[in-house]
Amino acid sequence: MNTANPQLEGLYLALSALVRQMITIGVLSQEDLDTAMAQAREQAEADFESSPLPDANRKAVLFPIELLALAGKGEAETFRALARRVALGT
């Protein structure tokens, strides 16, 4: 069994909880999060231009960015629920 995937799932959930908490206590606004994730997407896209990747790899790189962007919107969710939302683009 590859332990990297469960470790990454835990990391994403931990980061999601931190993002939600920072928004809740006012350290980070939703607008700040949206701006930061847009910048991360732009940086990833710039890397893709200089070093083209297969579509599956591009999606893999963008996945955590999209997941964290969604994490700030709403209540705590399971990893699978967040991943489903990323896949559906909601």
Side-chain angles (χ1 to χ4, degrees):
M1 176 180 178
N2 183 349
T3 58
N5 289 337
Q7 288 172 344
L8 287 174
E9 287 182 22
L11 177 62
Y12 296 149
L13 286 175
L15 289 172
S16 297
L18 286 171
V19 164
R20 280 191 313 280
Q21 184 64 21
M22 288 189 297
I23 289 172
T24 298
I25 63 174
V27 173
L28 180 72
S29 70
Q30 185 63 52
E31 184 179 335
D32 291 339
L33 176 62
D34 292 343
T35 299
M37 294 303 101
Q39 289 172 347
R41 277 186 219 98
E42 288 173 13
Q43 290 167 336
E45 293 292 341
D47 282 344
F48 298 154
E49 289 176 12
S50 64
S51 179
L53 293 175
D55 192 48
N57 291 23
R58 291 170 58 99
K59 288 179 181 178
V61 170
L62 294 173
F63 176 80
I65 298 167
E66 300 299 331
L67 186 136
L68 290 176
L70 290 174
K73 301 173 183 168
E75 299 297 316
E77 298 183 71
T78 65
F79 175 80
R80 283 178 179 69
L82 278 169
R84 190 175 315 115
R85 287 179 57 202
V86 169
L88 296 174
T90 60

